[in-house]
Amino acid sequence: LAHNKELYQNGEKFMSSSKFRVWLNHEYLPQHPEYLWIKEAYSKAVTQAVNHGQTAFKKFFDHESAFPKFKKKGRSDVKMYFVKNNPKDCRCERHRVNIPSLGWVRIKEKGYIPTTKEGYTIKSGHVSMKAGRYYVSALIEIPDNKTADPSNEGIGIDLGLKDFAIVSNGKTYKNINKSARLKKLEKRLVREQRCLSRKYENLKKGESTQRANIQKQKLKVQKLHHKIDNIRTDYINKTIAEIVKTKPSYITIEDLNVSGMMKNKHLSRAVASQKFYEFRIKLKAKSRENGIELRVADRWYPSSKICHCCGMIKKDLKLSRTKGEEKMARIRRNSEQTLEFKIEQAEAKVARTREAHEKAVDELKKLYDIRKAYQRDELLKALESSHRSYDEILAFITSSAEEKS
């Protein structure tokens, strides 16, 4: 990055990654022996870092991103790239993985990476560090597993802020950010961030604040951020898995303008926490893996203005009227649901009354049979005049009949 900046200031052309590696190995390192530690690192990792630099410059030249800048140690994820060069590299067992230049490294979470004994081969991977923990991700070639059933109907997914996703089959996925667990973690994050900010303010004022304590507090904030992000990602993964398991012939989603939605200062935080883009990328990969067609509807498609009966488009339909119609439809839908619920309650009450009536008739017949068999007219009159309950009379007569028999 610094070398290309210097070339740009001198009016020279941009140096590509291949030319930069030649210049680095033959000109720069021999003149600067203090940077010879680059030779000790894994060569493919250095090459990948240079390629990433070229990609960043290419995006800047194509007006897709801002000018590249150096990574800051405390703000950027530290990653190391590795690739399989010989048969002994990139092997994986149940509890450990072999990484070039590092050797065998033990894995805390077992069973996530397919092992070499199962016939899988690791092509490449990354070792990264987040919130004080090290993670390894591997690229493995596996056979295709297309399980889609073309005979099934397709589904549509509507993403939103009130509910995360509403599917056309009637399933609604709630907003995970409104759960008590995430609200508690976010409240705790605010408290820890406030504590970190005070430590920085005290350091600027010259008060006695050790930098080691600042690093400890920063690690607490990073762990909370990482935990919240893991909860949201896990919810997205489970939602996509549940949708794909229904085996639809196609899935339709809307092309949302997330960058435009982020410009609204009142909704930017809620939009960012929903992670719409990550949902779309993972749904696309999962659909391709299972042979399901993913359709992306145009963001300007007038779905609210099209009549569902004749297909006519009403161009002058305003958003306020759309909201009013949605409100009336919601009221009508709630009224229908309330009516259905009351009908079910009435039917159940009739069934219970019929059942109780039939039971009473059976018991009365039994009483008539007992009275006829044992001729207990006087006893019945005495019991009825004694103001005893119906159940007490039935129990007394039944016990008397059993003793007599």
Side-chain angles (χ1 to χ4, degrees):
L1 177 59
H3 183 63
N4 275 298
K5 276 186 176 181
E6 185 179 352
L7 292 177
Y8 177 76
Q9 292 174 358
N10 296 334
E12 300 181 21
K13 292 184 177 180
F14 171 75
M15 184 178 289
S16 63
S17 59
S18 57
K19 293 181 180 179
F20 178 80
R21 290 197 301 271
V22 173
W23 173 81
L24 179 69
N25 294 324
H26 295 85
E27 296 184 22
Y28 185 77
L29 291 181
Q31 299 176 6
H32 298 81
E34 65 273 14
Y35 294 108
L36 286 175
W37 55 268
I38 297 178
K39 289 283 188 180
E40 300 175 2
Y42 185 51
S43 60
K44 301 295 182 181
V46 178
T47 304
Q48 188 73 2
V50 176
N51 292 338
H52 287 330
Q54 179 179 346
T55 304
F57 272 107
K58 187 175 182 303
K59 287 185 177 180
F60 169 70
F61 295 147
D62 295 340
H63 304 284
E64 295 180 1
S65 62
F67 188 81
K69 57 183 179 181
F70 289 103
K71 286 187 175 182
K72 187 173 178 60
K73 182 179 179 181
R75 295 182 181 177
S76 303
D77 294 337
V78 181
K79 291 185 178 181
M80 187 200 79
Y81 174 79
F82 63 89
V83 68
K84 186 178 181 66
N85 281 334
N86 54 68
K88 293 185 178 180
D89 285 345
C90 304
R91 292 173 293 165
C92 181
E93 296 180 0
R94 177 181 173 273
H95 62 288
R96 60 178 185 169
V97 61
N98 184 272
I99 300 174
S101 303
L102 294 179
W104 287 103
V105 179
R106 291 183 63 86
I107 302 175
K108 184 177 180 182
E109 297 178 343
K110 308 174 183 65
Y112 288 94
I113 303 177
T115 60
T116 308
K117 292 182 179 179
E118 297 174 355
Y120 295 98
T121 303
I122 298 177
K123 301 293 184 180
S124 61
H126 282 87
V127 177
S128 58
M129 185 184 71
K130 291 183 180 180
R133 292 186 177 182
Y134 291 90
Y135 297 88
V136 57
S137 58
L139 176 64
I140 301 172
E141 185 177 356
I142 59 175
D144 294 336
N145 183 24
K146 296 184 179 181
T147 59
D149 187 4
S151 62
N152 290 350
E153 295 182 355
I155 59 174
I157 303 175
D158 182 24
L159 301 178
L161 297 180
K162 182 180 178 181
D163 295 312
F164 176 67
I166 300 177
V167 190
S168 58
N169 57 10
K171 182 70 175 178
T172 302
Y173 297 93
K174 296 182 179 180
N175 188 352
I176 189 65
N177 298 294
K178 295 181 180 179
S179 62
R181 184 184 181 190
L182 266 182
K183 286 185 177 180
K184 186 176 180 181
L185 286 174
E186 289 177 349
K187 188 176 180 180
R188 182 180 168 191
L189 176 62
V190 171
R191 186 165 58 249
E192 297 296 342
Q193 285 177 328
R194 189 183 301 117
C195 183
L196 178 62
S197 177
R198 286 172 180 169
K199 289 183 184 297
Y200 274 117
E201 291 296 330
N202 293 338
L203 187 65
K204 290 179 182 179
K205 294 177 181 178
E207 298 181 7
S208 59
T209 300
Q210 297 181 1
R211 292 188 178 272
N213 292 337
I214 294 179
Q215 294 300 325
K216 291 178 185 178
Q217 188 63 29
K218 186 185 293 186
L219 184 60
K220 288 183 181 179
V221 175
Q222 289 176 353
K223 285 183 177 180
L224 282 173
H225 273 297
H226 193 48
K227 189 172 184 178
I228 292 172
D229 183 67
N230 286 344
I231 293 173
R232 291 169 178 165
T233 304
D234 180 67
Y235 184 71
I236 290 175
N237 294 339
K238 289 179 178 178
T239 302
I240 294 174
E242 188 175 341
I243 292 173
V244 172
K245 279 182 181 179
T246 58
K247 300 180 182 179
S249 57
Y250 63 88
I251 299 175
T252 304
I253 59 175
E254 184 182 0
D255 184 19
L256 295 175
N257 184 16
V258 180
S259 59
M261 296 166 66
M262 290 291 293
K263 293 180 181 178
N264 188 338
K265 64 179 182 179
H266 302 289
L267 298 176
S268 59
R269 183 179 177 184
V271 172
S273 61
Q274 291 290 73
K275 306 177 79 168
F276 292 139
Y277 184 72
E278 182 177 348
F279 176 83
R280 175 175 171 175
I281 293 298
K282 291 187 175 181
L283 181 63
K284 183 178 180 181
K286 202 72 174 179
S287 301
R288 184 173 62 250
E289 178 184 342
N290 292 272
I292 302 173
E293 180 187 0
L294 181 64
R295 302 177 182 178
V296 181
D298 184 21
R299 66 180 59 174
W300 304 113
Y301 181 73
S303 58
S304 302
K305 299 180 180 180
I306 296 178
C307 178
H308 67 282
C309 297
C310 61
M312 186 183 68
I313 300 177
K314 189 171 184 179
K315 296 182 179 180
D316 58 345
L317 183 66
K318 297 182 180 180
L319 182 61
S320 58
R321 185 173 178 181
T322 305
K323 290 182 178 179
E325 291 178 355
E326 290 178 355
K327 185 176 180 181
M328 292 301 298
R330 186 166 61 251
I331 294 173
R332 192 182 304 111
R333 187 167 57 251
N334 293 338
S335 301
E336 292 175 357
Q337 292 176 355
T338 305
L339 181 60
E340 290 294 333
F341 178 70
K342 289 184 177 180
I343 290 174
E344 290 177 0
Q345 280 188 333
E347 290 177 350
K349 187 176 181 180
V350 170
R352 288 196 302 269
T353 306
R354 188 182 299 113
E355 183 181 356
H357 177 70
E358 292 176 356
K359 185 178 179 181
V361 170
D362 292 339
E363 292 178 353
L364 191 58
K365 287 182 179 179
K366 188 176 180 181
L367 282 173
Y368 287 154
D369 293 339
I370 294 173
R371 186 176 61 178
K372 184 177 180 181
Y374 297 99
Q375 296 180 357
R376 293 285 185 175
D377 295 337
E378 294 82 8
L379 179 59
L380 288 171
K381 290 179 181 179
L383 289 173
E384 290 174 359
S385 61
S386 62
H387 303 288
R388 292 194 180 183
S389 64
Y390 175 83
D391 295 332
E392 290 178 353
I393 296 172
L394 179 60
F396 182 82
I397 296 175
T398 304
S399 59
S400 301
E402 291 177 353
E403 290 176 1
K404 185 71 175 178
S405 61

